[in-house]
């Protein structure tokens, strides 16, 4: 069983070893915030609170890395019960953030014990149930694979933990290791992370509420998606056409300027917004580059943001009825 005292027995960089390193940091922050009165020293409280808020990285690693591996081994409990516990703590964090924003130290003092007590309880369940069972259920290859994915999420620690196992780090987008997956790979292709068939890719691009057009490094239109409600009309005749012939004469100069700067590497993004048919349209251009930073074209993305602009506050409940 992994405990605070013997986690050092695990190899450096092992995910559970990192969790216990974070645990020490969390406890020190909890002890510090408990003895800090926000009515007397709010800036100090806020500083500690923001450090504690990085526990979100720990939650995200558990939810997106550890829990999926446990599910593959048949243990689904953490994905349900502990994830709900995380969400409860997130709500408590948000509540205190609100009281910080509204400068209400009295409410901060009242709610802080609920947050700290909840985190202590979570740490206890991790130490006595989650991590010991995880070490029994999972194999070395699981931990190695899990550790690779953690790089993209990050840690609470000030310094990046050592690699596990000791080897050159390979970014997930360059990792083509065959995985034991719960779905068929027949007729699929490997992307930065994950596998999809051509049909799935087309369905994804068709369902996205965006107009996407890809112009290659030779300034030729090679792709556009066929969403059900396009902002601007497109037809198959555009494929293979030079992009300068796909825009009104008055805007061609701007388009060519964008392409020139993208190609030179001086710019990577350009944005515009216009009123079109009584709707507010957000148009963005992104330079596409390969891993060696070579220019590979540009993506044009158009989106109707009229209704998005009207959003205020929060919506957390389903309102289909």
């Amino acid at each position: 069983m992994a405990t605070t005292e013997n986690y050092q027995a695990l190899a450096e960089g092992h995910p559970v070893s990192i969790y216990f390193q974070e645990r020490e940091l969390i406890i020190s922050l909890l002890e510090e915030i408990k003895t800090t009165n926000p009515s007397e020293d709010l800036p100090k409280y806020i500083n500690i609170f923001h450090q504690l808020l990085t526990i979100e990285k720990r939650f995200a690693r558990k939810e997106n890395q550890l829990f999926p591996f446990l599910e593959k081994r048949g243990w689904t409990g953490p994905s349900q019960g502990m994830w709900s516990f995380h969400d409860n703590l997130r709500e408590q964090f948000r509540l205190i953030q609100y009281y910080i924003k509204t400068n209400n130290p009295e409410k901060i003092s009242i709610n802080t014990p609920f947050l700290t007590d909840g985190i202590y309880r979570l740490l206890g369940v991790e130490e006595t149930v989650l991590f010991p069972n995880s070490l029994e259920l999972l194999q070395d290859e699981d931990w190695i694979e899990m550790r690779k994915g953690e790089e993209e999420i990050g840690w609470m620690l000030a310094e990046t933990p050592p690699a596990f196992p000791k080897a050159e780090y390979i970014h997930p987008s360059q990792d083509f290791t065959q995985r034991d997956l719960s779905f068929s790979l027949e007729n699929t292709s490997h992307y930065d992370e994950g596998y999809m068939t051509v049909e799935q890719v087309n369905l994804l691009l068709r369902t996205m509420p965006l107009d996407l057009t890809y112009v290659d490094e030779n300034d030729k239109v090679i792709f556009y998606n066929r969403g059900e409600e396009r902002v601007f009309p497109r037809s198959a005749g555009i494929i293979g056409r030079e992009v300068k012939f796909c825009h009104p004469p008055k805007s061609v100069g701007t388009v060519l300027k964008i392409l020139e700067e993208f190609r030179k590497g001086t710019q990577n993004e350009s944005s515009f917004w216009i009123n079109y048919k009584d709707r507010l349209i957000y148009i963005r251009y992104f330079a596409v580059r390969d891993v060696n930073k070579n220019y590979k074209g540009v993506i044009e993305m158009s989106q109707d943001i009229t209704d998005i602009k009207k959003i205020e506050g929060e919506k957390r409940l389903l309102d289909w009825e």
Side-chain angles (χ1 to χ4, degrees):
M1 177 181 293
T3 66
T4 306
E5 290 73 27
N6 68 9
Y7 77 86
Q8 292 92 342
L10 296 167
E12 276 195 323
H14 189 290
V16 173
S17 175
I18 297 172
Y19 279 120
F20 273 92
Q21 286 179 270
E22 286 183 334
R23 183 181 188 277
E24 294 178 357
L25 172 61
I26 293 168
I27 290 176
S28 68
L29 291 171
L30 291 175
E31 292 302 308
E32 193 172 4
I33 204 168
K34 283 165 58 179
T35 58
T36 301
N37 187 335
S39 297
E40 298 176 357
D41 196 344
L42 184 58
K44 179 181 178 181
Y45 179 95
I46 292 174
N47 179 54
I48 302 168
F49 178 81
H50 284 163
Q51 292 181 65
L52 191 58
L53 192 57
T54 62
I55 200 172
E56 174 59 36
K57 295 181 180 179
R58 182 183 181 91
F59 295 168
R61 291 203 318 279
K62 288 161 64 181
E63 294 164 357
N64 295 283
Q65 293 297 122
L66 177 58
F67 293 174
F69 279 92
L70 295 177
E71 290 166 13
K72 291 177 184 179
R73 301 295 181 183
W75 191 23
T76 61
S79 302
Q80 300 165 13
M82 188 164 283
W83 197 319
S84 295
F85 206 147
H86 291 171
D87 285 342
N88 290 337
L89 289 173
R90 287 177 172 123
E91 287 294 336
Q92 195 63 45
F93 271 114
R94 278 192 284 266
L95 183 60
I96 295 176
Q97 282 179 306
Y98 171 76
Y99 290 133
I100 289 175
K101 183 178 179 180
T102 56
N103 193 26
N104 193 331
E106 181 181 355
K107 288 290 188 179
I108 294 173
S109 296
I110 293 172
N111 283 275
T112 297
F114 295 111
L115 176 66
T116 57
D117 290 349
I119 294 176
Y120 275 123
R121 287 198 300 273
L122 178 64
L123 293 177
V125 175
E126 288 177 349
E127 183 176 351
T128 59
V129 180
L130 178 65
F131 295 142
N133 288 338
S134 298
L135 288 169
E136 289 185 10
L137 284 172
L138 302 182
Q139 306 300 315
D140 285 344
E141 57 266 27
D142 296 323
W143 295 112
I144 292 170
E145 192 64 36
M146 188 187 308
R147 179 65 167 76
K148 294 177 183 178
E150 291 184 343
E151 299 281 346
E152 291 193 276
I153 298 172
W155 303 271
M156 297 180 69
L157 307 176
E159 297 182 1
T160 300
F164 175 76
K166 291 184 178 180
E168 181 181 357
Y169 168 62
I170 300 176
H171 191 276
S173 65
Q174 301 300 313
D175 177 17
F176 301 102
T177 304
Q178 185 66 45
R179 293 168 170 79
D180 180 18
L181 300 172
S182 59
F183 54 88
S184 172
L185 296 181
E186 185 178 0
N187 298 321
T188 65
S189 296
H190 182 270
Y191 296 88
D192 266 2
E193 190 54 63
Y195 303 80
M196 290 195 294
T197 64
V198 172
E199 179 187 19
Q200 289 171 331
V201 172
N202 274 322
L203 289 172
L204 170 67
L205 293 169
R206 185 178 300 165
T207 304
M208 292 174 63
L210 307 168
D211 286 6
L212 296 175
T213 303
Y214 189 1
V215 178
D216 70 8
E217 63 269 35
N218 299 310
D219 297 343
K220 298 290 184 69
V221 178
I222 61 172
F223 168 85
Y224 70 90
N225 67 328
R226 287 185 170 178
E228 293 186 3
E229 297 182 7
R230 290 196 58 86
V231 175
F232 301 115
R234 289 283 188 272
S235 68
I238 197 177
I239 302 301
R241 194 179 185 191
E242 284 192 56
V243 68
K244 67 181 180 181
F245 297 125
C246 302
H247 290 79
K250 64 181 179 180
S251 62
V252 169
T254 301
V255 172
L256 294 180
K257 177 66 173 176
I258 292 172
L259 295 176
E260 177 185 0
E261 297 302 321
F262 282 4
R263 183 174 281 105
K264 290 192 302 185
T266 56
Q267 299 290 337
N268 288 299
E269 179 182 349
S270 183
S271 302
F272 306 88
W273 43 96
I274 64 172
N275 288 302
Y276 180 74
K277 296 182 178 179
D278 297 322
R279 306 293 290 179
L280 182 61
I281 309 301
Y282 190 29
I283 306 169
R284 307 178 74 184
Y285 296 88
F286 299 93
V288 179
R289 307 187 192 282
D290 63 18
V291 293
N292 297 315
K293 304 301 181 182
N294 296 313
Y295 177 72
K296 291 296 180 180
V298 59
I299 291 290
E300 177 187 339
M301 184 180 80
S302 301
Q303 183 178 13
D304 183 341
I305 62 169
T306 308
D307 296 327
I308 295 176
K309 284 274 290 180
K310 299 176 183 177
I311 293 177
E312 293 181 350
E314 294 185 346
K315 176 181 181 292
R316 294 177 174 273
L317 302 176
L318 190 64
D319 58 359
W320 286 352
E321 296 181 357

